[in-house]
Amino acid sequence: MALTLPRGLSLVKLTVIFAVILCLVFFKSLFLPSSGVSPYNLAPAAESWWHGFKGDSSAAVSDVDTELDYSQLQDVDLTSEITDFEDPVPAPSSASSAGEAKGTAPRPTAPGRMYKPFDPSVPACRQLPGADRVVVIVKTGATEVFARLPQQLITLAACVPNLMIFSDMEQDVGQFHLYDALDEIGPEYRDHHEDFDFYHDIHRAHAMHGDVSLLGSQKGWNLDKWKNIPMLHKAYTQYPKADWFVTIDADTYLGWTNLLLLLNRLNPEDPLYAGCVYWHGPTQFAQGGTGYLLSRNAVEKFEAIRTPERIADWERETSTICCGDVMLGVAMGQAGVDVRGSWPMFQVEPPCSLSWTPPYWCSPAITWHHVHTYDIQALWEFEKTWINRTWTDENPGSVPYLYKDAFEYFVQPNIADKKLDWNNYSGDKIFTKPAEDHVKEEHDWDHKSDEEKQQMWDELNELQKHSVESFDACRAACLDDGDCKQFSWHPGTCKLNESIKVGHAVETSEEYASGWVLERVQAFKESQGTCEEPRFSID
Ligand SMILES: *[C@@H]1O[C@H](CO)[C@@H](O)[C@H](O)[C@H]1NC(C)=O
Ligand SMILES: *[C@@H]1O[C@H](CO)[C@@H](O)[C@H](O)[C@H]1NC(C)=O
Ligand SMILES: CC(=O)N[C@H]1CO[C@H](CO)[C@@H](O)[C@@H]1O
């Protein structure tokens, strides 16, 4: 034999090794991100998907179809687009962005195809342009980890390459690691401040294999305010080259598609600290639960002033202040970065309790706070369908969804002339008959004196007095009130509201029924226009 193999290296083994190498090369070209410049085309969408879908904008204006069936969106046949991807275009190297300027496309047969081919084995949301430039920070606490976090891990975590979860205790949840945000707090507080008694309690319970979710949550809240500043520093240390840092709570849904579209319009070299702005005494800050956004430049400014003396100051102030998001506002103010408002892109309600008013309509939706795991799942399904339906080879994820679109998905199919055992949170106007056996109210009516109750009643007109008798009479009072779009009735009380909310199911024993004046809802929708320009505005 001319070819002698080294001892122990049979032809079979050689073949196996060769096959493994081949697999590795194939894997690298298909799955690993190319480093450097984003290969995506970042051009914003010319018009919204909705108008494209309708084909003709005049039709869109006069559209009165409330019955858009989103389940059909899933059935759209994209096979023709997908077969295109079977022959993967090599991921463009970092030189290719310059290549475009010189007019040398990587494949002359497909001029302009500078994008990365869609990879069906990776979630579409993870392949959106700019995904790798963002660090998402989720703040949670050890007592709520198993109640709130898993839903984020089976949805958002699939989209975000750079995700960091901070808690008050280091632990693993499935394949995910949770960092302890508080392990570097000065011993003077960590070992002596009363807020940290609970910190040590949960660590002890955890070490003994105890279920810390059984421990009190109010104490967890007191610890929570210590996290925001250390979290930001830890995230920056881990990802110093990231362009953006976005922080949310575990009960916040993050609209990833829209976030990336917003960020692609902004420059990370500009100082930016944005969110839903509130005041605390003299401090303006971005509320933590609704999420806040920091550019790399802003974080660098924060890092620049982060000296040991300053950290000591921050910890001293944290020990007396209410909240961690306020403390971050204090720190960013010292770093010379003023907070800017991004409401309503960042806002506090889940879809069921949002009041769908004009300021929201043409704005992209980025955060929804106070979401239950159910809401996260529903928003996730909506967003996944949206990404899929609007995906194009050239501009993946380039179409933002607006509150208007969420209205069509979450509200219109879920409102009706009458829904039994349903509370729609009406309450602009409340008609209640003063009576001994009155069902408890959810508002201040119960606390009023008998005289006040009687006086309120005496001021009502006949139709309004009659409205407390039945659901239909309550509807009649709503119809008589020019602005009323929805109402809810339970024996003895009729409540009207001008704005639209879905609300939620209630126990039959609460004897609640809700209704909407669908023509007025439709008229309201039409009066809001078609949102030619999505409002990505930051004040
Ligand atoms: C869209 O959904 C279809 C059907 O589930 C799937 O085959 C396709 O890969 C998806 N495309 C994108 C871009 O997500
Ligand atoms: C009723 O409508 C108003 C605005 O018109 C809104 O602020 C409010 O949230 C709605 N619901 C209740 C319970 O007031
Ligand atoms: C049962 C229920 O959902 N009640 C809500 C009705 O609306 C009021 C006012 O917004 C809320 O405070 C209740 O929780």
Side-chain angles (χ1 to χ4, degrees):
M1 246 207 315
L3 182 72
T4 50
L5 293 170
R7 194 202 301 262
L9 204 56
S10 69
L11 204 58
V12 173
K13 282 192 183 165
L14 259 188
T15 316
V16 168
I17 291 170
F18 181 64
V20 166
I21 292 173
L22 211 70
C23 283
L24 283 176
V25 169
F26 183 67
F27 179 86
K28 181 177 185 299
S29 70
L30 262 190
F31 299 109
L32 296 188
S34 62
S35 56
V37 178
S38 164
Y40 297 105
N41 178 352
L42 302 183
E47 59 172 355
S48 89
W49 164 76
W50 180 242
H51 302 133
F53 184 67
K54 286 284 154 188
D56 156 0
S57 62
S58 63
V61 176
S62 63
D63 168 40
V64 288
D65 176 17
T66 61
E67 308 269 71
L68 174 69
D69 183 1
Y70 272 77
S71 63
Q72 286 170 1
L73 299 184
Q74 220 115 32
D75 301 334
V76 173
D77 181 17
L78 289 174
T79 6
S80 55
E81 289 165 38
I82 292 159
T83 45
D84 215 9
F85 294 138
E86 273 171 328
D87 163 27
V89 180
S93 70
S94 51
S96 69
S97 63
E100 184 172 40
K102 284 186 252 131
T104 52
R107 276 214 321 195
T109 44
R113 258 184 80 156
M114 305 300 293
Y115 48 88
K116 213 164 159 180
F118 177 66
D119 178 352
S121 69
V122 175
C125 61
R126 205 181 184 102
Q127 302 180 56
L128 294 173
D132 50 354
R133 305 192 301 151
V134 187
V135 178
V136 174
I137 299 166
V138 179
K139 175 168 69 59
T140 186
T143 56
E144 64 166 30
V145 158
F146 293 102
R148 286 184 173 173
L149 200 62
Q151 190 63 39
Q152 297 283 6
L153 300 182
I154 58 176
T155 56
L156 179 68
C159 307
V160 181
N162 310 316
L163 178 72
M164 287 188 87
I165 305 158
F166 288 97
S167 175
D168 24 37
M169 189 172 78
E170 197 170 344
Q171 79 187 107
D172 288 327
V173 176
Q175 81 222 52
F176 297 92
H177 186 69
L178 275 54
Y179 297 87
D180 180 351
L182 306 175
D183 56 0
E184 286 169 12
I185 299 286
E188 142 185 37
Y189 297 99
R190 211 177 56 225
D191 298 337
H192 301 292
H193 193 279
E194 57 176 5
D195 289 351
F196 281 86
D197 292 347
F198 187 65
Y199 178 78
H200 299 297
D201 288 349
I202 54 180
H203 283 241
R204 258 193 305 275
H206 183 61
M208 294 187 294
H209 285 273
D211 181 355
V212 307
S213 66
L214 302 174
L215 302 174
S217 62
Q218 180 50 43
K219 292 176 184 165
W221 265 116
N222 298 342
L223 257 188
D224 202 65
K225 66 179 180 185
W226 293 84
K227 293 174 194 160
N228 299 62
I229 287 182
M231 270 179 356
L232 181 59
H233 173 67
K234 283 168 184 278
Y236 177 76
T237 311
Q238 179 99 352
Y239 297 104
K241 294 210 169 77
D243 284 344
W244 303 103
F245 295 82
V246 178
T247 305
I248 56 169
D249 280 356
D251 62 342
T252 308
Y253 180 86
L254 180 63
W256 181 235
T257 313
N258 286 346
L259 173 72
L260 295 179
L261 285 170
L262 169 67
L263 298 182
N264 286 344
R265 292 164 179 246
L266 302 171
N267 183 354
E269 300 308 331
D270 293 336
L272 182 69
Y273 163 42
C276 203
V277 177
Y278 287 75
W279 286 93
H280 179 82
T283 307
Q284 253 192 316
F285 68 101
Q287 205 262 338
T290 50
Y292 51 83
L293 165 64
L294 290 152
S295 65
R296 185 182 51 229
N297 178 288
V299 182
E300 282 167 356
K301 289 193 155 73
F302 159 83
E303 289 289 323
I305 62 161
R306 192 183 167 277
T307 59
E309 300 74 45
R310 187 80 75 167
I311 294 171
D313 283 349
W314 287 338
E315 289 182 353
R316 189 174 325 114
E317 197 165 345
T318 305
S319 74
T320 58
I321 214 166
C322 70
C323 321
D325 46 8
V326 177
M327 262 322 290
L328 189 76
V330 169
M332 293 314 296
Q334 291 165 348
V337 185
D338 290 332
V339 65
R340 294 171 63 193
S342 51
W343 184 88
M345 289 188 286
F346 290 64
Q347 58 81 38
V348 75
E349 303 287 352
C352 68
S353 51
L354 186 76
S355 220
W356 300 81
T357 52
Y360 287 92
W361 206 252
C362 295
S363 168
I366 296 183
T367 62
W368 308 78
H369 186 35
H370 293 145
V371 288
H372 295 168
T373 53
Y374 170 85
D375 301 309
I376 297 182
Q377 181 61 31
L379 281 157
W380 169 252
E381 279 168 22
F382 167 66
E383 180 155 358
K384 249 186 8 184
T385 308
W386 185 269
I387 297 173
N388 189 295
R389 184 59 187 81
T390 60
W391 191 278
T392 63
D393 302 0
E394 296 78 10
N395 284 310
S398 63
V399 185
Y401 53 84
L402 311 180
Y403 283 98
K404 152 188 171 298
D405 301 303
F407 180 85
E408 286 164 4
Y409 182 86
F410 289 102
V411 180
Q412 285 193 288
N414 294 313
I415 60 178
D417 294 331
K418 180 171 186 175
K419 280 185 111 167
L420 275 178
D421 300 329
W422 197 271
N423 186 345
N424 65 7
Y425 301 88
S426 291
D428 265 353
K429 292 187 181 157
I430 302 173
F431 311 134
T432 295
K433 186 180 196 169
E436 291 293 316
D437 59 347
H438 202 284
V439 194
K440 271 248 173 241
E441 290 299 333
E442 294 142 344
H443 50 87
D444 60 0
W445 188 85
D446 285 313
H447 307 292
K448 293 195 188 308
S449 68
D450 288 348
E451 292 73 36
E452 280 174 307
K453 288 176 186 171
Q454 190 60 46
Q455 194 194 338
M456 285 169 72
W457 181 253
D458 293 340
E459 284 165 3
L460 301 183
N461 67 33
E462 284 313 306
L463 197 66
Q464 290 165 344
K465 283 181 181 160
H466 186 57
S467 72
V468 306
E469 304 295 339
S470 71
F471 179 86
D472 290 337
C474 184
R475 164 179 289 277
C478 178
L479 287 172
D480 182 58
D481 185 311
D483 297 318
C484 175
K485 292 184 197 63
Q486 65 172 43
F487 56 95
S488 67
W489 179 82
H490 72 129
T493 299
C494 170
K495 306 180 198 179
L496 313 184
N497 225 72
E498 274 182 41
S499 57
I500 304 155
K501 261 187 208 183
V502 177
H504 50 77
V506 293
E507 296 283 355
T508 309
S509 58
E510 290 190 31
E511 298 183 277
Y512 247 105
S514 294
W516 289 261
V517 184
L518 296 176
E519 313 79 67
R520 289 183 185 170
V521 170
Q522 185 60 34
F524 164 77
K525 184 185 162 185
E526 278 162 31
S527 70
Q528 297 308 307
T530 53
C531 303
E532 297 306 330
E533 271 305 309
R535 273 203 315 267
F536 275 105
S537 54
I538 294 189
D539 306 334

